[in-house]
Amino acid sequence: MNTIPGRRLIISLFLVFLLLPIYWLVNMSFKTNTEIVSTMTLWPHQPTIANYMRIFTDESWYSGYINSLKYVVINTVISIAVALPAAYAFARYRFLGDKHLFFWLLSNRMAPAAVYALPFFNLYSAIGLFDTPWAVALAHCIFNIPLAVWILEGFVSSVPREIDETAFLDGYSFPRFFIKILVPLIASGIGVAAFFCFMFSWVELLLARTLTATEAKPISAIMTRTVSAAGMDWGLLAAAGVLTIIPGALVIWFVRNYIARGFALGRV
Amino acid sequence: MDKTINNKAWFLVLPVFLLVAFSAILPLMTVVNYSMQDTFGNNQFFWNGVGWFKELLDPSTDLGGRFLASLWRNLIFSAAILAIEVPLGIVVALAMPRQGWTVAFTLVVLALPLLIPWNVVGTIWQIFGRPDIGLFGYVLNHIGLDYNYVSNEADAWFTVILMDVWHWTSLVALLCYSGLKSIPDAYYQAAQIDGASRWAVFKAIQLPKMHRVLLIAVLLRFMDSFMIYTEPFVVTGGGPGNSTTFISIELVKIALGQFDLGKAAALSLVYNLIILIVCWVFYTIMTNAGAERRPVEGGA
């Protein structure tokens, strides 16, 4: 009753549609360039791991992954840490300008990165953070903090307010209540918010590329540069692409049981 | 549930406010500053007043023409992907398996495209669509279609839209799925007793429950498609010609390509203003929808 006719066929077709381009990338990453260019083969006939070996042994390649992970992790930690108290405030209290503030935050989530690329470049050069993971992590805060506040506010609202009151009557100070009681209660919400922060920071390229030069260059920027300089090394490009998919796939696997609730941003 | 009025809550919001203000207001002031000036390089700036804005809003000038053209392209693009992704997302959500190991598997595969870096999404489709080495382009050309996204405008559009559908339909589907999951079984049983048709169940039970998440989905998809940059840039580079040059691509071309800071800044401000207005409209609709529904549902 609650599904539709032919649902198996529909969902199977859609999953194939999603997986086929990814399969093609994986397929190419195990091929030699000669095989890629000269023949059309549905699976690698002379499988090789040379493309992956090159990435793992060349520092200019694998450092890109480390740089990317650095700013993603810094950004996620900052976003969650500052968003938690704010989410509590928005969920529990009414204060001067709260609605306007919330809208202003939300509007920053929607601001196009292209607008901020150049001003950020000036700003972070001026304060000496240019070409460090901190610059990218702080820049990504502009869209991740509002999102984290938005998600966490939904989760905090679903905690009954009697719990706060009981804790305060029991003599809990505010910080102690926050860490000992509230945070464990919305642990899944924090997981979901962290997942989203990780996701949007990991997939963003324009700001990450603009704010780094050599030291902190993210993998996505290294991919575009090296490949065009070396002619088209399709196999290497594909291998690098496959390796950028893996951290995301791991994160999804860990949060798979929360995905449904998480995508509703704690608001269903 | 009534909230208590407490202005001390500002202290809890302060870190967020300061951090976001640092990354939003300071740079925006730089943009406003640039938008009023002209530069001939060497860090020499000249006052230009509202000159750039006049030029921007006048389609007969070069800047205005480019702005208007890319704005139209972007609006058509956003409308097209919304028209495809929202219905498709609902259908996929309705077709999701309800129990067993296939649920976890389907969820993971659905979420996969969302976590691929945007330039890699571009790379995947750039390769996939190539007639020589990509499966998709190869097959299309072998069944007799003359498909080449590098030289043909229609093919480039087709590729960019298909790529976006591939990339983001999952988001709509996952949002709708989480809305559907919150419907108690009792509703369906009641509908069955009443002898409601499949379509009636969808219209009377499922769609209202998805209403709120659908709004979120439409808002996110409109905004993100309106500021799309990386994916089409990697695949088509904005071409052939200017046929897939969306606003963000045009903006980056002017700002970082030609270093025409004044023009870029004026464009940025108008661009931001459009987004702010649309965002406000959605936000109002969303909060109103929430306020209407709250008494009926009795909380979360």
Side-chain angles (χ1 to χ4, degrees), chain A residues 75-76 80 109 143-144 147-148 151 190-203 251 258-259 261-265, chain B residues 114-115 171 175 220:
Chain A
N75 171 271
T76 307
I80 299 293
R109 161 63 182 79
F143 49 79
N144 269 348
L147 191 70
I151 297 173
I190 295 175
V192 167
F195 167 76
F196 271 88
C197 290
F198 180 95
M199 163 176 155
F200 281 108
S201 185
W202 176 253
V203 298
V251 171
Y258 300 108
I259 285 180
R261 181 148 188 233
F263 272 88
L265 312 175
Chain B
L114 302 175
L115 271 131
L171 182 75
L175 277 164
L220 285 177

PDB file of all heavy atoms in Angstrom, chain A residues 75-76 80 109 143-144 147-148 151 190-203 251 258-259 261-265, chain B residues 114-115 171 175 220:
ATOM      1  N   ASN A  75      37.606  22.335  10.151  1.00  0.00           N
ATOM      2  CA  ASN A  75      36.324  23.006   9.921  1.00  0.00           C
ATOM      3  C   ASN A  75      35.190  22.315  10.661  1.00  0.00           C
ATOM      4  O   ASN A  75      34.361  22.964  11.290  1.00  0.00           O
ATOM      5  CB  ASN A  75      36.022  23.040   8.417  1.00  0.00           C
ATOM      6  CG  ASN A  75      34.625  23.510   8.136  1.00  0.00           C
ATOM      7  OD1 ASN A  75      33.697  22.728   8.076  1.00  0.00           O
ATOM      8  ND2 ASN A  75      34.465  24.816   8.015  1.00  0.00           N
ATOM      9  N   THR A  76      35.155  20.982  10.600  1.00  0.00           N
ATOM     10  CA  THR A  76      34.061  20.257  11.260  1.00  0.00           C
ATOM     11  C   THR A  76      34.092  20.507  12.765  1.00  0.00           C
ATOM     12  O   THR A  76      33.060  20.785  13.380  1.00  0.00           O
ATOM     13  CB  THR A  76      34.174  18.748  10.967  1.00  0.00           C
ATOM     14  OG1 THR A  76      34.256  18.569   9.565  1.00  0.00           O
ATOM     15  CG2 THR A  76      32.990  18.001  11.501  1.00  0.00           C
ATOM     16  N   ILE A  80      30.990  22.524  14.686  1.00  0.00           N
ATOM     17  CA  ILE A  80      30.153  21.861  15.694  1.00  0.00           C
ATOM     18  C   ILE A  80      30.316  22.560  17.040  1.00  0.00           C
ATOM     19  O   ILE A  80      29.338  22.809  17.755  1.00  0.00           O
ATOM     20  CB  ILE A  80      30.532  20.372  15.814  1.00  0.00           C
ATOM     21  CG1 ILE A  80      30.318  19.667  14.490  1.00  0.00           C
ATOM     22  CG2 ILE A  80      29.710  19.701  16.919  1.00  0.00           C
ATOM     23  CD1 ILE A  80      28.908  19.553  14.055  1.00  0.00           C
ATOM     24  N   ARG A 109      24.483  30.517   4.204  1.00  0.00           N
ATOM     25  CA  ARG A 109      24.621  29.168   3.660  1.00  0.00           C
ATOM     26  C   ARG A 109      24.386  29.197   2.150  1.00  0.00           C
ATOM     27  O   ARG A 109      24.926  28.394   1.404  1.00  0.00           O
ATOM     28  CB  ARG A 109      23.621  28.239   4.361  1.00  0.00           C
ATOM     29  CG  ARG A 109      23.299  26.937   3.668  1.00  0.00           C
ATOM     30  CD  ARG A 109      24.518  26.040   3.540  1.00  0.00           C
ATOM     31  NE  ARG A 109      24.225  24.805   2.831  1.00  0.00           N
ATOM     32  CZ  ARG A 109      24.130  24.704   1.514  1.00  0.00           C
ATOM     33  NH1 ARG A 109      24.275  25.771   0.746  1.00  0.00           N
ATOM     34  NH2 ARG A 109      23.880  23.540   0.956  1.00  0.00           N
ATOM     35  N   PHE A 143      29.527  28.593   5.213  1.00  0.00           N
ATOM     36  CA  PHE A 143      28.327  27.817   4.891  1.00  0.00           C
ATOM     37  C   PHE A 143      28.099  26.653   5.853  1.00  0.00           C
ATOM     38  O   PHE A 143      26.984  26.181   5.979  1.00  0.00           O
ATOM     39  CB  PHE A 143      28.318  27.339   3.429  1.00  0.00           C
ATOM     40  CG  PHE A 143      29.573  26.684   2.960  1.00  0.00           C
ATOM     41  CD1 PHE A 143      29.850  25.382   3.281  1.00  0.00           C
ATOM     42  CD2 PHE A 143      30.467  27.399   2.158  1.00  0.00           C
ATOM     43  CE1 PHE A 143      31.002  24.771   2.826  1.00  0.00           C
ATOM     44  CE2 PHE A 143      31.632  26.794   1.707  1.00  0.00           C
ATOM     45  CZ  PHE A 143      31.905  25.470   2.042  1.00  0.00           C
ATOM     46  N   ASN A 144      29.155  26.197   6.552  1.00  0.00           N
ATOM     47  CA  ASN A 144      28.958  25.041   7.419  1.00  0.00           C
ATOM     48  C   ASN A 144      28.381  25.395   8.785  1.00  0.00           C
ATOM     49  O   ASN A 144      27.600  24.633   9.335  1.00  0.00           O
ATOM     50  CB  ASN A 144      30.269  24.275   7.591  1.00  0.00           C
ATOM     51  CG  ASN A 144      30.418  23.197   6.543  1.00  0.00           C
ATOM     52  OD1 ASN A 144      29.465  22.893   5.843  1.00  0.00           O
ATOM     53  ND2 ASN A 144      31.588  22.626   6.426  1.00  0.00           N
ATOM     54  N   LEU A 147      24.607  25.801   8.576  1.00  0.00           N
ATOM     55  CA  LEU A 147      23.992  24.492   8.383  1.00  0.00           C
ATOM     56  C   LEU A 147      23.989  23.704   9.687  1.00  0.00           C
ATOM     57  O   LEU A 147      22.976  23.100  10.059  1.00  0.00           O
ATOM     58  CB  LEU A 147      24.756  23.720   7.300  1.00  0.00           C
ATOM     59  CG  LEU A 147      24.079  22.457   6.824  1.00  0.00           C
ATOM     60  CD1 LEU A 147      22.846  22.797   6.027  1.00  0.00           C
ATOM     61  CD2 LEU A 147      25.030  21.626   5.987  1.00  0.00           C
ATOM     62  N   ALA A 148      25.120  23.736  10.417  1.00  0.00           N
ATOM     63  CA  ALA A 148      25.214  22.991  11.681  1.00  0.00           C
ATOM     64  C   ALA A 148      24.214  23.541  12.697  1.00  0.00           C
ATOM     65  O   ALA A 148      23.551  22.779  13.398  1.00  0.00           O
ATOM     66  CB  ALA A 148      26.630  23.060  12.231  1.00  0.00           C
ATOM     67  N   ILE A 151      20.688  22.299  11.669  1.00  0.00           N
ATOM     68  CA  ILE A 151      20.445  20.884  11.976  1.00  0.00           C
ATOM     69  C   ILE A 151      20.328  20.681  13.477  1.00  0.00           C
ATOM     70  O   ILE A 151      19.384  20.061  13.969  1.00  0.00           O
ATOM     71  CB  ILE A 151      21.585  20.008  11.421  1.00  0.00           C
ATOM     72  CG1 ILE A 151      21.631  20.097   9.906  1.00  0.00           C
ATOM     73  CG2 ILE A 151      21.415  18.566  11.863  1.00  0.00           C
ATOM     74  CD1 ILE A 151      22.810  19.400   9.290  1.00  0.00           C
ATOM     75  N   ILE A 190      24.510  15.379  16.574  1.00  0.00           N
ATOM     76  CA  ILE A 190      25.868  15.879  16.382  1.00  0.00           C
ATOM     77  C   ILE A 190      26.557  15.085  15.282  1.00  0.00           C
ATOM     78  O   ILE A 190      27.253  15.646  14.429  1.00  0.00           O
ATOM     79  CB  ILE A 190      26.652  15.817  17.702  1.00  0.00           C
ATOM     80  CG1 ILE A 190      26.021  16.768  18.716  1.00  0.00           C
ATOM     81  CG2 ILE A 190      28.110  16.168  17.478  1.00  0.00           C
ATOM     82  CD1 ILE A 190      26.642  16.698  20.085  1.00  0.00           C
ATOM     83  N   GLY A 191      26.315  13.774  15.284  1.00  0.00           N
ATOM     84  CA  GLY A 191      26.881  12.946  14.227  1.00  0.00           C
ATOM     85  C   GLY A 191      26.401  13.386  12.854  1.00  0.00           C
ATOM     86  O   GLY A 191      27.187  13.516  11.914  1.00  0.00           O
ATOM     87  N   VAL A 192      25.104  13.652  12.769  1.00  0.00           N
ATOM     88  CA  VAL A 192      24.529  14.064  11.488  1.00  0.00           C
ATOM     89  C   VAL A 192      25.101  15.414  11.051  1.00  0.00           C
ATOM     90  O   VAL A 192      25.497  15.597   9.893  1.00  0.00           O
ATOM     91  CB  VAL A 192      22.992  14.146  11.608  1.00  0.00           C
ATOM     92  CG1 VAL A 192      22.406  14.858  10.416  1.00  0.00           C
ATOM     93  CG2 VAL A 192      22.413  12.754  11.729  1.00  0.00           C
ATOM     94  N   ALA A 193      25.192  16.364  12.006  1.00  0.00           N
ATOM     95  CA  ALA A 193      25.731  17.688  11.670  1.00  0.00           C
ATOM     96  C   ALA A 193      27.185  17.571  11.228  1.00  0.00           C
ATOM     97  O   ALA A 193      27.604  18.207  10.254  1.00  0.00           O
ATOM     98  CB  ALA A 193      25.597  18.623  12.861  1.00  0.00           C
ATOM     99  N   ALA A 194      27.952  16.735  11.940  1.00  0.00           N
ATOM    100  CA  ALA A 194      29.357  16.549  11.577  1.00  0.00           C
ATOM    101  C   ALA A 194      29.457  15.950  10.178  1.00  0.00           C
ATOM    102  O   ALA A 194      30.314  16.349   9.380  1.00  0.00           O
ATOM    103  CB  ALA A 194      30.051  15.645  12.591  1.00  0.00           C
ATOM    104  N   PHE A 195      28.553  15.021   9.894  1.00  0.00           N
ATOM    105  CA  PHE A 195      28.534  14.400   8.573  1.00  0.00           C
ATOM    106  C   PHE A 195      28.333  15.455   7.486  1.00  0.00           C
ATOM    107  O   PHE A 195      29.047  15.483   6.482  1.00  0.00           O
ATOM    108  CB  PHE A 195      27.423  13.351   8.524  1.00  0.00           C
ATOM    109  CG  PHE A 195      27.087  12.854   7.148  1.00  0.00           C
ATOM    110  CD1 PHE A 195      27.907  11.959   6.503  1.00  0.00           C
ATOM    111  CD2 PHE A 195      25.936  13.285   6.507  1.00  0.00           C
ATOM    112  CE1 PHE A 195      27.601  11.497   5.244  1.00  0.00           C
ATOM    113  CE2 PHE A 195      25.621  12.824   5.237  1.00  0.00           C
ATOM    114  CZ  PHE A 195      26.454  11.933   4.611  1.00  0.00           C
ATOM    115  N   PHE A 196      27.372  16.356   7.716  1.00  0.00           N
ATOM    116  CA  PHE A 196      27.097  17.385   6.709  1.00  0.00           C
ATOM    117  C   PHE A 196      28.262  18.366   6.575  1.00  0.00           C
ATOM    118  O   PHE A 196      28.592  18.794   5.473  1.00  0.00           O
ATOM    119  CB  PHE A 196      25.804  18.128   7.045  1.00  0.00           C
ATOM    120  CG  PHE A 196      24.600  17.474   6.454  1.00  0.00           C
ATOM    121  CD1 PHE A 196      23.933  16.481   7.146  1.00  0.00           C
ATOM    122  CD2 PHE A 196      24.157  17.810   5.197  1.00  0.00           C
ATOM    123  CE1 PHE A 196      22.835  15.851   6.598  1.00  0.00           C
ATOM    124  CE2 PHE A 196      23.065  17.186   4.641  1.00  0.00           C
ATOM    125  CZ  PHE A 196      22.399  16.201   5.345  1.00  0.00           C
ATOM    126  N   CYS A 197      28.875  18.747   7.716  1.00  0.00           N
ATOM    127  CA  CYS A 197      30.023  19.656   7.649  1.00  0.00           C
ATOM    128  C   CYS A 197      31.155  19.000   6.870  1.00  0.00           C
ATOM    129  O   CYS A 197      31.778  19.619   6.009  1.00  0.00           O
ATOM    130  CB  CYS A 197      30.508  20.020   9.045  1.00  0.00           C
ATOM    131  SG  CYS A 197      29.364  21.068   9.918  1.00  0.00           S
ATOM    132  N   PHE A 198      31.406  17.725   7.205  1.00  0.00           N
ATOM    133  CA  PHE A 198      32.450  16.995   6.500  1.00  0.00           C
ATOM    134  C   PHE A 198      32.154  16.992   5.008  1.00  0.00           C
ATOM    135  O   PHE A 198      32.993  17.317   4.177  1.00  0.00           O
ATOM    136  CB  PHE A 198      32.511  15.560   7.027  1.00  0.00           C
ATOM    137  CG  PHE A 198      33.557  14.716   6.364  1.00  0.00           C
ATOM    138  CD1 PHE A 198      34.808  14.577   6.923  1.00  0.00           C
ATOM    139  CD2 PHE A 198      33.289  14.077   5.160  1.00  0.00           C
ATOM    140  CE1 PHE A 198      35.781  13.811   6.303  1.00  0.00           C
ATOM    141  CE2 PHE A 198      34.262  13.309   4.533  1.00  0.00           C
ATOM    142  CZ  PHE A 198      35.501  13.175   5.098  1.00  0.00           C
ATOM    143  N   MET A 199      30.899  16.678   4.688  1.00  0.00           N
ATOM    144  CA  MET A 199      30.506  16.539   3.296  1.00  0.00           C
ATOM    145  C   MET A 199      30.727  17.834   2.516  1.00  0.00           C
ATOM    146  O   MET A 199      31.406  17.845   1.490  1.00  0.00           O
ATOM    147  CB  MET A 199      29.042  16.115   3.253  1.00  0.00           C
ATOM    148  CG  MET A 199      28.362  16.299   1.931  1.00  0.00           C
ATOM    149  SD  MET A 199      26.678  15.640   2.048  1.00  0.00           S
ATOM    150  CE  MET A 199      25.893  16.582   0.767  1.00  0.00           C
ATOM    151  N   PHE A 200      30.200  18.956   3.030  1.00  0.00           N
ATOM    152  CA  PHE A 200      30.270  20.180   2.231  1.00  0.00           C
ATOM    153  C   PHE A 200      31.673  20.753   2.177  1.00  0.00           C
ATOM    154  O   PHE A 200      32.039  21.425   1.219  1.00  0.00           O
ATOM    155  CB  PHE A 200      29.259  21.208   2.730  1.00  0.00           C
ATOM    156  CG  PHE A 200      27.872  20.925   2.255  1.00  0.00           C
ATOM    157  CD1 PHE A 200      26.906  20.456   3.113  1.00  0.00           C
ATOM    158  CD2 PHE A 200      27.552  21.085   0.913  1.00  0.00           C
ATOM    159  CE1 PHE A 200      25.638  20.162   2.656  1.00  0.00           C
ATOM    160  CE2 PHE A 200      26.286  20.797   0.453  1.00  0.00           C
ATOM    161  CZ  PHE A 200      25.329  20.336   1.324  1.00  0.00           C
ATOM    162  N   SER A 201      32.468  20.514   3.238  1.00  0.00           N
ATOM    163  CA  SER A 201      33.839  21.005   3.201  1.00  0.00           C
ATOM    164  C   SER A 201      34.681  20.144   2.254  1.00  0.00           C
ATOM    165  O   SER A 201      35.552  20.638   1.544  1.00  0.00           O
ATOM    166  CB  SER A 201      34.430  20.977   4.612  1.00  0.00           C
ATOM    167  OG  SER A 201      35.697  21.533   4.626  1.00  0.00           O
ATOM    168  N   TRP A 202      34.390  18.849   2.231  1.00  0.00           N
ATOM    169  CA  TRP A 202      35.161  17.918   1.419  1.00  0.00           C
ATOM    170  C   TRP A 202      34.912  18.122  -0.064  1.00  0.00           C
ATOM    171  O   TRP A 202      35.800  17.974  -0.894  1.00  0.00           O
ATOM    172  CB  TRP A 202      34.804  16.482   1.833  1.00  0.00           C
ATOM    173  CG  TRP A 202      35.443  15.412   1.025  1.00  0.00           C
ATOM    174  CD1 TRP A 202      34.841  14.621   0.101  1.00  0.00           C
ATOM    175  CD2 TRP A 202      36.815  15.013   1.062  1.00  0.00           C
ATOM    176  NE1 TRP A 202      35.750  13.757  -0.436  1.00  0.00           N
ATOM    177  CE2 TRP A 202      36.968  13.970   0.122  1.00  0.00           C
ATOM    178  CE3 TRP A 202      37.940  15.432   1.782  1.00  0.00           C
ATOM    179  CZ2 TRP A 202      38.185  13.345  -0.103  1.00  0.00           C
ATOM    180  CZ3 TRP A 202      39.149  14.798   1.548  1.00  0.00           C
ATOM    181  CH2 TRP A 202      39.262  13.783   0.624  1.00  0.00           C
ATOM    182  N   VAL A 203      33.687  18.479  -0.441  1.00  0.00           N
ATOM    183  CA  VAL A 203      33.366  18.557  -1.858  1.00  0.00           C
ATOM    184  C   VAL A 203      33.648  19.932  -2.462  1.00  0.00           C
ATOM    185  O   VAL A 203      33.652  20.083  -3.676  1.00  0.00           O
ATOM    186  CB  VAL A 203      31.878  18.195  -2.133  1.00  0.00           C
ATOM    187  CG1 VAL A 203      31.588  16.773  -1.714  1.00  0.00           C
ATOM    188  CG2 VAL A 203      30.949  19.148  -1.426  1.00  0.00           C
ATOM    189  N   VAL A 251      32.623   7.476   5.381  1.00  0.00           N
ATOM    190  CA  VAL A 251      31.783   8.254   6.283  1.00  0.00           C
ATOM    191  C   VAL A 251      30.324   7.823   6.142  1.00  0.00           C
ATOM    192  O   VAL A 251      29.627   7.628   7.134  1.00  0.00           O
ATOM    193  CB  VAL A 251      31.942   9.763   5.997  1.00  0.00           C
ATOM    194  CG1 VAL A 251      30.921  10.556   6.779  1.00  0.00           C
ATOM    195  CG2 VAL A 251      33.334  10.219   6.374  1.00  0.00           C
ATOM    196  N   TYR A 258      21.737   6.644  10.365  1.00  0.00           N
ATOM    197  CA  TYR A 258      21.197   7.961  10.700  1.00  0.00           C
ATOM    198  C   TYR A 258      20.838   8.761   9.462  1.00  0.00           C
ATOM    199  O   TYR A 258      20.299   9.849   9.570  1.00  0.00           O
ATOM    200  CB  TYR A 258      22.200   8.762  11.532  1.00  0.00           C
ATOM    201  CG  TYR A 258      22.565   8.095  12.823  1.00  0.00           C
ATOM    202  CD1 TYR A 258      23.805   7.525  13.004  1.00  0.00           C
ATOM    203  CD2 TYR A 258      21.637   8.032  13.861  1.00  0.00           C
ATOM    204  CE1 TYR A 258      24.136   6.903  14.198  1.00  0.00           C
ATOM    205  CE2 TYR A 258      21.960   7.412  15.041  1.00  0.00           C
ATOM    206  CZ  TYR A 258      23.212   6.840  15.216  1.00  0.00           C
ATOM    207  OH  TYR A 258      23.517   6.227  16.380  1.00  0.00           O
ATOM    208  N   ILE A 259      21.211   8.230   8.286  1.00  0.00           N
ATOM    209  CA  ILE A 259      21.053   9.021   7.061  1.00  0.00           C
ATOM    210  C   ILE A 259      19.630   9.541   6.911  1.00  0.00           C
ATOM    211  O   ILE A 259      19.404  10.725   6.685  1.00  0.00           O
ATOM    212  CB  ILE A 259      21.454   8.208   5.815  1.00  0.00           C
ATOM    213  CG1 ILE A 259      22.971   8.105   5.736  1.00  0.00           C
ATOM    214  CG2 ILE A 259      20.942   8.880   4.554  1.00  0.00           C
ATOM    215  CD1 ILE A 259      23.457   7.316   4.548  1.00  0.00           C
ATOM    216  N   ARG A 261      17.122  10.112   9.016  1.00  0.00           N
ATOM    217  CA  ARG A 261      16.751  11.207   9.896  1.00  0.00           C
ATOM    218  C   ARG A 261      17.620  12.432   9.609  1.00  0.00           C
ATOM    219  O   ARG A 261      17.148  13.560   9.620  1.00  0.00           O
ATOM    220  CB  ARG A 261      16.935  10.771  11.348  1.00  0.00           C
ATOM    221  CG  ARG A 261      16.544  11.868  12.293  1.00  0.00           C
ATOM    222  CD  ARG A 261      15.967  11.377  13.601  1.00  0.00           C
ATOM    223  NE  ARG A 261      15.458  12.536  14.310  1.00  0.00           N
ATOM    224  CZ  ARG A 261      15.788  12.840  15.548  1.00  0.00           C
ATOM    225  NH1 ARG A 261      16.607  12.069  16.225  1.00  0.00           N
ATOM    226  NH2 ARG A 261      15.298  13.918  16.121  1.00  0.00           N
ATOM    227  N   GLY A 262      18.879  12.170   9.360  1.00  0.00           N
ATOM    228  CA  GLY A 262      19.815  13.274   9.156  1.00  0.00           C
ATOM    229  C   GLY A 262      19.446  14.131   7.973  1.00  0.00           C
ATOM    230  O   GLY A 262      19.527  15.349   8.024  1.00  0.00           O
ATOM    231  N   PHE A 263      18.984  13.500   6.898  1.00  0.00           N
ATOM    232  CA  PHE A 263      18.680  14.295   5.722  1.00  0.00           C
ATOM    233  C   PHE A 263      17.441  15.146   5.910  1.00  0.00           C
ATOM    234  O   PHE A 263      17.234  16.110   5.199  1.00  0.00           O
ATOM    235  CB  PHE A 263      18.559  13.407   4.477  1.00  0.00           C
ATOM    236  CG  PHE A 263      19.861  13.211   3.814  1.00  0.00           C
ATOM    237  CD1 PHE A 263      20.699  12.184   4.187  1.00  0.00           C
ATOM    238  CD2 PHE A 263      20.294  14.103   2.856  1.00  0.00           C
ATOM    239  CE1 PHE A 263      21.932  12.028   3.602  1.00  0.00           C
ATOM    240  CE2 PHE A 263      21.520  13.946   2.265  1.00  0.00           C
ATOM    241  CZ  PHE A 263      22.350  12.906   2.632  1.00  0.00           C
ATOM    242  N   ALA A 264      16.609  14.786   6.898  1.00  0.00           N
ATOM    243  CA  ALA A 264      15.483  15.653   7.197  1.00  0.00           C
ATOM    244  C   ALA A 264      15.926  16.753   8.143  1.00  0.00           C
ATOM    245  O   ALA A 264      15.102  17.530   8.608  1.00  0.00           O
ATOM    246  CB  ALA A 264      14.363  14.847   7.818  1.00  0.00           C
ATOM    247  N   LEU A 265      17.214  16.819   8.434  1.00  0.00           N
ATOM    248  CA  LEU A 265      17.787  17.846   9.296  1.00  0.00           C
ATOM    249  C   LEU A 265      17.096  17.830  10.662  1.00  0.00           C
ATOM    250  O   LEU A 265      16.894  18.859  11.290  1.00  0.00           O
ATOM    251  CB  LEU A 265      17.683  19.228   8.658  1.00  0.00           C
ATOM    252  CG  LEU A 265      18.139  19.308   7.206  1.00  0.00           C
ATOM    253  CD1 LEU A 265      17.885  20.675   6.638  1.00  0.00           C
ATOM    254  CD2 LEU A 265      19.601  18.957   7.059  1.00  0.00           C
TER     255      LEU A 265
ATOM    256  N   LEU B 114      26.684  12.359  -3.438  1.00  0.00           N
ATOM    257  CA  LEU B 114      26.692  13.609  -2.689  1.00  0.00           C
ATOM    258  C   LEU B 114      28.048  13.883  -2.055  1.00  0.00           C
ATOM    259  O   LEU B 114      28.364  15.023  -1.735  1.00  0.00           O
ATOM    260  CB  LEU B 114      25.631  13.560  -1.583  1.00  0.00           C
ATOM    261  CG  LEU B 114      24.207  13.321  -2.048  1.00  0.00           C
ATOM    262  CD1 LEU B 114      23.283  13.169  -0.860  1.00  0.00           C
ATOM    263  CD2 LEU B 114      23.752  14.486  -2.905  1.00  0.00           C
ATOM    264  N   LEU B 115      28.832  12.838  -1.815  1.00  0.00           N
ATOM    265  CA  LEU B 115      30.102  13.018  -1.110  1.00  0.00           C
ATOM    266  C   LEU B 115      31.299  12.980  -2.035  1.00  0.00           C
ATOM    267  O   LEU B 115      32.425  12.865  -1.592  1.00  0.00           O
ATOM    268  CB  LEU B 115      30.242  11.966  -0.022  1.00  0.00           C
ATOM    269  CG  LEU B 115      29.626  12.453   1.289  1.00  0.00           C
ATOM    270  CD1 LEU B 115      28.730  11.428   1.875  1.00  0.00           C
ATOM    271  CD2 LEU B 115      30.705  12.867   2.260  1.00  0.00           C
ATOM    272  N   LEU B 171      19.645  13.665  -3.091  1.00  0.00           N
ATOM    273  CA  LEU B 171      19.339  14.537  -1.955  1.00  0.00           C
ATOM    274  C   LEU B 171      17.829  14.675  -1.799  1.00  0.00           C
ATOM    275  O   LEU B 171      17.291  14.509  -0.701  1.00  0.00           O
ATOM    276  CB  LEU B 171      19.974  15.913  -2.147  1.00  0.00           C
ATOM    277  CG  LEU B 171      19.760  16.883  -0.993  1.00  0.00           C
ATOM    278  CD1 LEU B 171      20.633  16.542   0.184  1.00  0.00           C
ATOM    279  CD2 LEU B 171      20.022  18.310  -1.432  1.00  0.00           C
ATOM    280  N   LEU B 175      15.634  13.141   1.328  1.00  0.00           N
ATOM    281  CA  LEU B 175      14.765  14.013   2.123  1.00  0.00           C
ATOM    282  C   LEU B 175      13.331  13.481   2.132  1.00  0.00           C
ATOM    283  O   LEU B 175      12.702  13.378   3.178  1.00  0.00           O
ATOM    284  CB  LEU B 175      14.796  15.433   1.559  1.00  0.00           C
ATOM    285  CG  LEU B 175      15.961  16.307   2.007  1.00  0.00           C
ATOM    286  CD1 LEU B 175      16.113  17.519   1.110  1.00  0.00           C
ATOM    287  CD2 LEU B 175      15.762  16.763   3.443  1.00  0.00           C
ATOM    288  N   LEU B 220      17.179  24.093  -1.191  1.00  0.00           N
ATOM    289  CA  LEU B 220      18.589  23.731  -1.334  1.00  0.00           C
ATOM    290  C   LEU B 220      18.957  23.532  -2.792  1.00  0.00           C
ATOM    291  O   LEU B 220      20.002  23.998  -3.255  1.00  0.00           O
ATOM    292  CB  LEU B 220      18.891  22.448  -0.549  1.00  0.00           C
ATOM    293  CG  LEU B 220      18.973  22.590   0.972  1.00  0.00           C
ATOM    294  CD1 LEU B 220      19.204  21.236   1.611  1.00  0.00           C
ATOM    295  CD2 LEU B 220      20.088  23.551   1.369  1.00  0.00           C
TER     296      LEU B 220
END
